[in-house]
Amino acid sequence: SVASRHGSLISRSVSSAVANGGSSSFPSSVSVASNNHSATSLRSMSTMDKMETGTPLYMSLYPEGSTDGGIRLGNIVPDFAMDTTQGSFDSFHEWKKEKWAILFSHPADFTPVCTTEIGRLALKYDDLEAMDCKVATLSVDPVKSHKDWLKDVVAHCENEIDIKFPIIGDQDRSISIAYGMIDPGNLDEQELPLTIRAVFIINPENKLMLSLNYPACVGRNMDEIVRCVEALQLSYEKSIATPANWPNNHADIPMPDGSRSTEFKGSVFLLPTVSEEEAKEHYPGYHSCSVPSNINYLRLVKKDDVEKK
């Protein structure tokens, strides 16, 4: 059965990740920042930037595996077989092969917040598909329960929606345990252990790039999830990092001549790993923000210049 294959797939995936783990050395001056992106048009397959001191070096800061079985940023995520509302699949990794993917868990079917979340996610699905990002959701309910509940989801949503993504049935909770959504030590102590509201955004190499955890009482913001995918893809493809509140950032900044500029709204930073040589070669027009330390680490690139690269 699909359920009986979960354990061996997950075990093999974690073992492979640990065997290939470890981080490369990097310059002592490098500081760690978070990954990020921007794009709304239909895209071809997302590929890592080739800038030597950019994304490849930055990604090497994150080990591919953990030593304690936990899943952290940069780790290769566990593989698993899955029964879903769209059929059975032998491998999550194969299902998402060479694409970005979101694994989105909810505590239970026929609950109010989950009903609104699946509806709102359905409204964002076309945007995510245009970004070449697959979506799968999950709870510990059986697939039949998912299918029955989806009728309520569609009826409750104020827009006409189709649920185009699969919902995984994780009755034995093996996937939830492997991804840290449930503590296996609590299974016998809880009458009905449910998954938390978790979001895992995974890159084409099956590496975890972002995770979000919410309690059962707080629904997630789908606009923020789409923004995170956009930011991650842009960072992966262009060796940049997105500032706080991107793309509504740096709307009015001081310039060296004492004037102010509104041309940098939505701009991004070069990754801290990017050398000055490659920065000047690939982004010759970047702007250095002046700070008291006089350290040139706030290197802004206009959105248009990033898109031209």
Side-chain angles (χ1 to χ4, degrees):
S1 70
V2 168
S4 68
R5 295 196 296 275
H6 283 160
S8 61
L9 272 168
I10 289 169
S11 175
R12 186 166 71 242
S13 174
V14 172
S15 297
S16 172
V18 171
N20 292 318
S23 62
S24 303
S25 60
F26 55 94
S28 59
S29 61
V30 170
S31 60
V32 178
S34 62
N35 275 31
N36 306 320
H37 164 87
S38 106
T40 51
S41 58
L42 197 63
R43 58 166 52 248
S44 57
M45 187 178 295
S46 183
T47 56
M48 186 187 292
D49 191 8
K50 303 301 182 188
M51 193 189 301
E52 199 170 306
T53 61
T55 303
L57 177 57
Y58 189 73
M59 287 293 295
S60 74
L61 304 179
Y62 294 98
E64 292 185 349
S66 66
T67 59
D68 60 4
I71 303 178
R72 297 182 177 83
L73 297 183
N75 289 177
I76 295 174
V77 299
D79 199 6
F80 53 85
M82 54 189 193
D83 285 326
T84 82
T85 51
Q86 295 183 358
S88 297
F89 302 89
D90 289 333
S91 166
F92 173 69
H93 286 186
E94 280 298 311
W95 173 80
K96 68 163 289 294
K97 188 173 183 179
E98 297 180 342
K99 291 181 180 290
W100 288 81
I102 295 172
L103 181 62
F104 182 102
S105 71
H106 63 274
D109 298 344
F110 299 103
T111 55
V113 177
C114 299
T115 298
T116 59
E117 286 190 320
I118 297 301
R120 301 309 298 184
L121 185 59
L123 289 171
K124 293 296 182 182
Y125 179 80
D126 288 345
D127 292 339
L128 291 164
E129 185 179 44
M131 295 157 59
D132 205 32
C133 181
K134 302 199 77 169
V135 176
T137 66
L138 171 149
S139 82
V140 297
D141 300 291
V143 170
K144 184 182 184 308
S145 172
H146 293 333
K147 290 181 176 178
D148 292 341
W149 172 55
L150 286 180
K151 298 171 187 174
D152 289 359
V153 173
V154 172
H156 180 72
C157 191
E158 65 269 26
N159 305 78
E160 277 193 36
I161 58 168
D162 291 320
I163 310 299
K164 299 177 183 178
F165 46 83
I167 303 182
I168 301 166
D170 187 29
Q171 276 186 280
D172 65 2
R173 294 165 172 77
S174 60
I175 303 170
S176 302
I177 290 170
Y179 277 73
M181 293 183 273
I182 291 177
D183 182 348
N186 292 335
L187 281 178
D188 295 331
E189 298 175 13
Q190 292 178 276
E191 183 179 344
L192 185 63
L194 301 176
T195 53
I196 57 175
R197 299 190 192 283
V199 179
F200 302 92
I201 301 179
I202 302 157
N203 79 5
E205 290 140 7
N206 299 324
K207 293 180 180 180
L208 179 63
M209 300 308 298
L210 181 147
S211 63
L212 300 169
N213 291 331
Y214 283 64
C217 60
V218 178
R220 286 159 285 192
N221 185 313
M222 303 309 152
D223 290 328
E224 172 61 7
I225 291 172
V226 172
R227 188 190 78 94
C228 287
V229 174
E230 292 178 348
L232 287 164
Q233 288 187 347
L234 190 61
S235 178
Y236 183 78
E237 296 167 5
K238 306 291 187 178
S239 293
I240 60 84
T242 51
N245 294 339
W246 177 85
N248 300 308
N249 58 288
H250 291 88
D252 183 9
I253 65 172
M255 301 302 288
D257 62 2
S259 65
R260 302 192 68 85
S261 174
T262 58
E263 295 181 2
F264 285 86
K265 182 178 180 181
S267 58
V268 296
F269 288 122
L270 293 178
L271 286 174
T273 53
V274 174
S275 69
E276 281 302 302
E277 292 75 22
E278 287 205 304
K280 291 173 182 176
E281 177 186 350
H282 294 274
Y283 295 108
Y286 81 79
H287 169 75
S288 293
C289 298
S290 178
V291 287
S293 68
N294 290 320
I295 299 173
N296 186 26
Y297 65 97
L298 295 166
R299 301 176 294 178
L300 280 177
V301 180
K302 293 178 182 177
K303 180 181 176 183
D304 289 347
D305 291 338
V306 171
E307 291 174 348
K308 289 174 189 173
K309 181 179 178 294

